[in-house]
Amino acid sequence: MVVDLQLVAIQHPVALNIFAVAARQAAIWSGTELVLISGPALEGRLKSRVRVLGNFVRICPNLSVALAAVHQPPLRRLSVELLPSGRVAASSARRHVAERLNQWDCGVLTEDAVAVAAELVHHVIQIFAIEPVLRLELRQSLLTVAIAHRQIAGTTDEASIDPLSRRILTGIAQTWGTSATQTGTVVWCVLRVPA
């Protein structure tokens, strides 16, 4: 999806956030990349905000460059999947990861990403028997595998992850950890895509 901003006047830098949100939703909903054509709207006092936006949205100087960019891999690929509760969550996560990485031409990471997803789901299901959300993001040769859940009781931090899962995550991942959210916790892992 190409959006031409050459004739647009943006009054406030916060208005640029809509493009990051739209790009995220398009990536989740249809796998479509949002490409912006810059112009005066993205210059001047907005330049620093535009640099940050460029991490999430491809920004091109004109239509011909934007159309050529459509045939390149997206800057960011994103997938969000609500997993079922219970024992089937891990198998559902493994299947979803394998399918998505195949679609994204990242088959070389499938074995490691499937193992990481299964470990993260296993950990979350043991503590919170609720529906976890699997999130995959491929950006700048890094794949993030994350499991989010609502925090009903208990705690999820790095110390609560069992020693075997720790060894698996540490052995496979570039880095991993946990992050608190407003509604719960995210357990995440980052894998590097081989050159």
Side-chain angles (χ1 to χ4, degrees):
M1 177 173 25
V2 177
V3 177
D4 188 344
L5 299 176
Q6 293 183 80
L7 300 177
V8 174
I10 297 177
Q11 299 299 317
H12 198 281
V14 174
L16 292 174
N17 294 343
I18 191 66
F19 297 112
V21 172
R24 182 177 188 277
Q25 290 303 316
I28 292 171
W29 181 68
S30 65
T32 302
E33 182 181 24
L34 176 66
V35 178
L36 301 178
I37 299 174
S38 65
L42 300 183
E43 294 174 359
R45 63 187 174 87
L46 298 177
K47 271 197 171 185
S48 63
R49 284 282 183 125
V50 170
R51 269 195 299 274
V52 173
L53 180 62
N55 291 324
F56 304 97
V57 180
R58 193 180 306 270
I59 301 172
C60 300
N62 56 51
L63 181 59
S64 61
V65 174
L67 292 176
V70 169
H71 301 293
Q72 298 172 2
L75 291 178
R76 177 183 191 209
R77 293 181 178 173
L78 187 62
S79 174
V80 178
E81 179 82 5
L82 178 64
L83 299 173
S85 296
R87 294 180 186 173
V88 295
S91 63
S92 181
R94 286 191 297 269
R95 185 174 43 257
H96 182 76
V97 168
E99 288 171 1
R100 199 59 70 227
L101 292 183
N102 185 42
Q103 288 176 346
W104 293 349
D105 294 325
C106 277
V108 68
L109 278 182
T110 301
E111 186 177 325
D112 288 347
V114 164
V116 163
E119 284 303 318
L120 296 179
V121 169
H122 173 73
H123 172 71
V124 167
I125 293 298
Q126 276 187 323
I127 296 175
F128 310 93
I130 59 172
E131 295 175 333
V133 176
L134 169 65
R135 182 175 179 270
L136 301 172
E137 181 178 6
L138 179 60
R139 188 164 68 93
Q140 297 178 351
S141 75
L142 297 175
L143 174 69
T144 302
V145 179
I147 304 294
H149 57 86
R150 292 188 317 266
Q151 189 117 359
I152 295 173
T155 181
T156 298
D157 57 19
E158 291 176 24
S160 70
I161 296 179
D162 69 76
L164 177 60
S165 291
R166 269 177 186 280
R167 282 196 299 272
I168 291 170
L169 295 174
T170 302
I172 294 174
Q174 190 81 15
T175 186
W176 66 276
T178 63
S179 301
T181 66
Q182 290 180 343
T183 58
T185 304
V186 176
V187 185
W188 53 269
C189 193
V190 177
L191 306 172
R192 182 169 295 282
V193 179

